[in-house]
Amino acid sequence: MSRTRNMVLCAMFTVLVAIGAFIRVPVPFVPFTLQVLFTTLAGLILGPKLGAMSVTLYVALGLLGLPIFASGGGIGYVFQPTFGYLIGFIIGTYVTGSIAYQEENPSRKRLLVACLLGLFIVYFCGTSYYWFIMTFYLKSQIGLWTLFFYCVLLSAPGDIFLCFVTAGFGKRLLPIIRRELEIGV
């Protein structure tokens, strides 16, 4: 891919992830957004490096003060219990892209596994960070069941569904995108 095309695609996915933060599905207790859809799609479409770069740019812009996170923005956001999910988005996008790009024409199953492993990383980072901030910064003890309930159980079913959707999109879009990149459109 050309350098200009890489920059445009990274910027496009950065914007999509930001938009995904504001597309909220109303569920009790936790904000459920479409960020998982766009971060995993970034890994599938852009690959590990460019996908992670686009999500890193999103996080950097939010930390610089743009109110593009689900609950605002600014450097102080690192003290929000949910900041770990943003870290997880970067790592998860990289892993998703790495697994998907191991084959020239990945199967839908491979794409789904890539998305699900990326999602697992998002939840692992998010839950771990949530526990750390609650315990050491906010000095509020949280039980493991409560942590699991609020950080995983409430939103995981919707995000798992989004992984299936993303794998389907990826399977359809990857051949088209790769063909257009070869032609130079």
Side-chain angles (χ1 to χ4, degrees):
M1 272 196 249
S2 75
R3 188 178 187 122
T4 303
R5 183 172 289 163
N6 288 348
M7 290 189 320
V8 168
L9 289 172
C10 280
M12 181 184 76
F13 272 96
T14 299
V15 169
L16 287 173
V17 173
I19 291 169
F22 295 100
I23 301 174
R24 298 172 191 225
V25 178
V27 293
F29 307 114
V30 293
F32 179 77
T33 68
L34 293 185
Q35 288 178 299
V36 166
L37 173 71
F38 295 121
T39 57
T40 54
L41 198 56
L44 294 183
I45 300 299
L46 301 179
K49 292 179 184 175
L50 290 176
M53 188 184 307
S54 69
V55 179
T56 301
L57 179 59
Y58 163 74
V59 173
L61 290 171
L63 289 175
L64 287 172
L66 293 177
I68 56 176
F69 296 148
S71 298
I75 193 69
Y77 209 83
V78 298
F79 298 110
Q80 293 289 326
T82 57
F83 183 72
Y85 291 97
L86 296 173
I87 296 167
F89 285 150
I90 296 168
I91 301 167
T93 299
Y94 184 86
V95 168
T96 298
S98 294
I99 294 168
Y101 271 67
Q102 287 177 351
E103 293 180 2
E104 173 116 3
N105 186 19
S107 66
R108 187 180 310 256
K109 181 180 178 181
R110 173 174 282 284
L111 296 177
L112 179 59
V113 167
C115 292
L116 290 172
L117 285 175
L119 181 64
F120 174 80
I121 289 168
V122 169
Y123 275 92
F124 179 78
C125 292
T127 304
S128 301
Y129 197 89
Y130 193 96
W131 176 83
F132 182 82
I133 290 295
M134 291 298 287
T135 303
F136 295 108
Y137 178 68
L138 298 175
K139 306 285 188 212
S140 176
Q141 294 299 318
I142 185 168
L144 288 180
W145 169 248
T146 304
L147 181 72
F148 178 76
F149 181 76
Y150 285 108
C151 293
V152 178
L153 200 57
L154 288 177
S155 57
D159 286 337
I160 290 170
F161 172 75
L162 288 178
C163 285
F164 279 89
V165 170
T166 306
F169 281 158
K171 185 62 181 163
R172 289 179 179 248
L173 291 175
L174 277 173
I176 296 167
I177 290 170
R178 288 184 175 161
R179 184 175 55 244
E180 287 186 14
L181 292 176
E182 288 174 8
I183 296 171
V185 173

